C-alpha cells in the first residue's frame, strides 16, 4: 500500500505507519433509522463525508439503538486506549454543529487523548449491555 502525502499509510494519521499507532476512528450507523429519511432535515451523506475528512469512518448496519438516531461511535486511538478510554456513543446527532463538534474532538485526539467538549455530553449515552454485546 503506497504511503499517503502525510507520510503514513492511507487512512491513517501522520506517522501512524511508522509507530504502528491506530488513529481515532468513527463508526456511523446507517441502516433502518440512522442515515435514512426517517431522520428528517439531515444530509446524511454530507455528515459522513465531513466525519471521513477527520478520521477513518466505518459505516455500520443497525447498531440497535434506533431511538437515538443518528448514532455515531467514536473509538479511541491507540494512545487513547492506552490511557484507558473506551468507545463513546453519541446519539441524536442531527445537527451540523454537533457534527463539527465531533470533528474537532476527533482531530484533537478523541477519547482518552483530548477532553470531550462539554456540548457533546448532551449527545453521549451508554448503550444497554444487550446492545453493546453485539
Amino acid at each position: 500500500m503506497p504511503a499517503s502525502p502525510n507520510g503514513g499509510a492511507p487512512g491513517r494519521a501522520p506517522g501512524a505507519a511508522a509507530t504502528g499507532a491506530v488513529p481515532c476512528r468513527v463508526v456511523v450507523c446507517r441502516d433502518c433509522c440512522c442515515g435514512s429519511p426517517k431522520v428528517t432535515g439531515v444530509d446524511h451523506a454530507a455528515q459522513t463525508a465531513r466525519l471521513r475528512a477527520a478520521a477513518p469512518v466505518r459505516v455500520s448496519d443497525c447498531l440497535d439503538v434506533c431511538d437515538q438516531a443518528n448514532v455515531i461511535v467514536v473509538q479511541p486511538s491507540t494512545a487513547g486506549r492506552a490511557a484507558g478510554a473506551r468507545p463513546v456513543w453519541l446519539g441524536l446527532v442531527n445537527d451540523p454543529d454537533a457534527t463539527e463538534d465531533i470533528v474537532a474532538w476527533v482531530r484533537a485526539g478523541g477519547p482518552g487523548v483530548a477532553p470531550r467538549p462539554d456540548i457533546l455530553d448532551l449527545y453521549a449515552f451508554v448503550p444497554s449491555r444487550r446492545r453493546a454485546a453485539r
Side-chain angles (χ1 to χ4, degrees):
M1 185 180 300
S4 67
N6 65 19
R12 288 204 165 176
T19 64
V22 175
C24 186
R25 295 174 187 242
V26 176
V27 177
V28 294
C29 185
R30 294 290 185 257
D31 195 28
C32 59
C33 293
C34 299
S36 79
K38 290 180 182 179
V39 179
T40 60
V42 178
D43 184 339
H44 303 288
Q47 183 184 56
T48 302
R50 185 70 185 111
L51 293 164
R52 195 168 267 139
V57 172
R58 182 172 63 92
V59 176
S60 175
D61 288 339
C62 187
L63 294 173
D64 198 23
V65 284
C66 297
D67 58 323
Q68 295 287 329
N70 281 325
V71 175
I72 296 172
V73 182
V74 182
Q75 298 175 322
S77 64
T78 301
R81 285 252 184 223
R86 304 293 303 150
V88 174
W89 289 63
L90 303 166
L92 304 172
V93 184
N94 301 320
D95 181 282
D97 290 338
T99 302
E100 290 304 316
D101 292 331
I102 295 167
V103 166
W105 182 41
V106 165
R107 284 191 170 151
V113 174
R116 182 171 65 211
D118 291 341
I119 192 71
L120 291 182
D121 290 344
L122 298 172
Y123 300 92
F125 72 98
V126 177
S128 71
R129 294 190 93 134
R130 181 182 64 81
R131 291 177 182 143
R134 288 185 175 186

